[in-house]
Amino acid sequence: MENKTVWLYRENDLEAVLKKKKGCTFAALALACAGLIVCVFCAFHAKDADALNWFKIAAAVSLLAGWTVITLRVFVIEPLKAAEKHIRTMLGGEYEKVAGSFSLTGERIDIRKGVSMYRVCVDGNEAISSMSIYEKKAKLFDAEKAALVYSVYGFIAGYEEQNEDD
Amino acid sequence: MRTIKKLASNAHRYVLWALISVFFWGWVFSLAGDAPRAKKLTVFTSVEAIDCAALKAALSERLPDGINLVQVHPFRYAAFDTSEAEAADIFIVTEEEAKSMAKYLSHIEGDDGLVVDGAVIAVVLIPEEVFKNTEFLLTETHEPVYICFGSRSVHTKSLNGSSDDAALELFDTIKKLFAEGGNL
C-alpha cells in the first residue's frame, strides 16, 4: 500500500492571508482617514476663543488614531505580509525530499521581518540534522508518522505519512 | 512576552508619532488661527491672574471694524520669540513692568495715569484694592494693573500715525469690561 502524502500549504492559505491583509489594510486606512477628518474639522476652530481645547482634541485624536494604525501594522499587517511571502515561497519553490525520523521540538525561531518557526530534529539522515516548520502549520505535521518530508529551503512543505500496515 | 518584546522594539515609532501629532497640529493651529497684522489685534499680559481665554472670548464678540482676530497671550507665550510681544498692540502689566518696558510703549494723551519721563505711558485698569470682578480674573490681584499701547502697533493712528485706531477701540472695550464685570 502506498504512503499518504500530506501537503501543508495550499492556494487557499494564500487567498485567506491576502483577504485578511486587505481587510486590515483597509481598516487602518479608514481609521487614518477618519482621524484626519476629525483633526481637520478641529483645525477649522483654530480662531475660536477655545482654540486650545480644539487643539488638544486634534492632537489626542491624531495620537490615538496613529498609535492604533501603528499597532495594526506591527501586530497584524506586517506578520500577514511575512506569512504571504512565506506561503508564496513554499507554493512556488522546488521541493527537496528528506528521509529520516522526525521530531517536533518546542524551540521557537523568530525570523526578523519573517514568520515564526519551530525547529524539527531529523535523525537518521547524514546530510541534514534539523529543519523548520511554520508555527501555524506545526499542528498539521505528525512527526511520528512522517517517513519522508518535502522541504523548500529547509522549511517543511509536506510529508509522507507512513502507512500503518507497513 | 513576545508582545512586550515587539512593543519595545517598535517603541520609537510610537514616540515619533506622539511628537509628530503634537508639533504638526500645533503648527497647523498656529497657521490657521493667525491673521495678517492689519486684521488682528494682539494683547499681551504679564498679570498671571488674568484669564486670557475668557478675555479673548469676550473681546472676540466685540471686534472693532476691520479686525478679524483678537489674540490675548501671557508673556510666557513669547518665551522663545519676543518679536510678536514687541509688536503687540496692547499690554496689560504691573506698574514696575510698565516702567521697565517704557521704550516699547506709546505716550497716551491726558494727565491721568502712569508718568515716565514726563509722559503718560499707561492708565490704571485694575485699581490697587482687591478687585472683586472675577469674570476675567483667575485670582484676586493685590497691586494695580495698568493697560498701555505698544509703540509698534499698526492700530494706533492717533498715537503713532499708523493705519487705524482699532487698538484704541479695543482699549476702551477692555476698560469697560473690567469696570463692569463683563456685562457690557
Side-chain angles (χ1 to χ4, degrees):
Chain A
M1 207 170 170
E2 267 189 33
N3 288 347
K4 183 183 157 195
T5 305
V6 178
W7 292 105
L8 300 177
Y9 295 87
R10 294 178 193 284
E11 283 292 332
N12 292 353
D13 295 337
L14 186 61
E15 281 167 22
V17 166
L18 286 174
K19 198 175 167 186
K20 210 171 166 187
K21 192 182 90 175
K22 204 173 163 185
C24 290
T25 307
F26 177 78
L29 275 174
L31 183 65
C33 289
L36 187 64
I37 289 168
V38 172
C39 290
V40 170
F41 173 78
C42 292
F44 277 109
H45 293 271
K47 283 184 180 167
D48 292 3
D50 56 349
L52 185 63
N53 290 335
W54 287 105
F55 164 68
K56 284 175 185 170
I57 294 169
V61 168
S62 169
L63 187 75
L64 293 176
W67 279 358
T68 311
V69 170
I70 292 171
T71 306
L72 263 176
R73 191 181 153 82
V74 169
F75 288 95
V76 184
I77 298 171
E78 280 178 359
L80 284 171
K81 272 187 185 173
E84 180 199 340
K85 195 177 161 192
H86 173 71
I87 294 168
R88 280 189 197 281
T89 306
M90 298 307 282
L91 289 174
E94 276 186 28
Y95 299 118
E96 182 191 344
K97 286 182 182 177
V98 179
S101 66
F102 305 90
S103 57
L104 181 63
T105 68
E107 189 187 333
R108 187 194 199 95
I109 305 158
D110 287 321
I111 301 169
R112 192 172 151 72
K113 291 192 175 178
V115 292
S116 295
M117 298 282 173
Y118 282 117
R119 203 164 79 88
V120 175
C121 283
V122 185
D123 291 323
N125 188 310
E126 287 177 1
I128 297 170
S129 62
S130 78
M131 300 175 80
S132 306
I133 187 164
Y134 178 31
E135 64 171 349
K136 289 191 175 159
K137 298 293 179 187
K139 60 179 179 238
L140 301 176
F141 179 58
D142 192 343
E144 286 175 5
K145 287 185 183 173
L148 180 88
V149 303
Y150 296 95
S151 89
V152 178
Y153 304 120
F155 303 123
I156 296 172
Y159 64 100
E160 275 187 16
E161 218 171 60
Q162 205 164 16
N163 198 311
E164 282 174 12
D165 298 340
D166 297 340
Chain B
M1 193 63 194
R2 266 177 88 202
T3 308
I4 294 169
K5 223 173 168 182
K6 216 166 185 178
L7 269 176
S9 66
N10 286 283
H12 64 284
R13 291 183 181 184
Y14 291 91
V15 173
L16 194 65
W17 183 256
L19 293 174
I20 289 171
S21 288
V22 173
F23 286 106
F24 175 75
W25 289 108
W27 175 70
V28 169
F29 270 69
S30 67
L31 277 186
D34 209 354
R37 274 190 80 189
K39 295 283 180 190
K40 75 172 173 184
L41 287 163
T42 311
V43 179
F44 266 84
T45 179
S46 64
V47 183
E48 291 291 329
I50 287 181
D51 184 347
C52 292
L55 184 58
K56 183 189 172 179
L59 295 176
S60 296
E61 290 171 11
R62 300 163 177 86
L63 291 175
D65 289 341
I67 298 298
N68 295 339
L69 177 70
V70 170
Q71 292 177 324
V72 182
H73 297 305
F75 268 19
R76 64 174 179 276
Y77 179 84
F80 299 108
D81 179 13
T82 56
S83 59
E84 200 176 345
E86 285 167 8
D89 299 290
I90 290 173
F91 294 99
I92 299 173
V93 290
T94 59
E95 182 179 338
E96 194 185 330
E97 280 154 350
K99 284 177 179 170
S100 71
M101 56 190 284
K103 63 177 178 179
Y104 296 113
L105 304 178
S106 284
H107 295 168
I108 302 169
E109 289 170 12
D111 306 325
D112 216 16
L114 184 65
V115 179
V116 172
D117 295 335
V120 177
I121 58 162
V123 295
V124 173
L125 178 67
I126 304 173
E128 194 162 354
E129 63 266 21
V130 173
F131 196 66
K132 289 181 181 164
N133 173 3
T134 55
E135 173 87 12
F136 308 110
L137 290 175
L138 298 167
T139 57
E140 292 177 332
T141 59
H142 297 278
E143 60 178 326
V145 173
Y146 288 85
I147 182 166
C148 36
F149 295 102
S151 59
R152 287 173 58 191
S153 168
V154 293
H155 299 289
T156 48
K157 189 178 175 184
S158 308
L159 303 178
N160 63 5
S162 56
S163 60
D164 58 65
D165 271 334
L168 277 78
E169 283 181 48
L170 194 78
F171 176 86
D172 288 337
T173 308
I174 294 172
K175 277 173 47 180
K176 281 179 191 165
L177 280 172
F178 274 85
E180 297 171 26
N183 302 316
L184 274 184

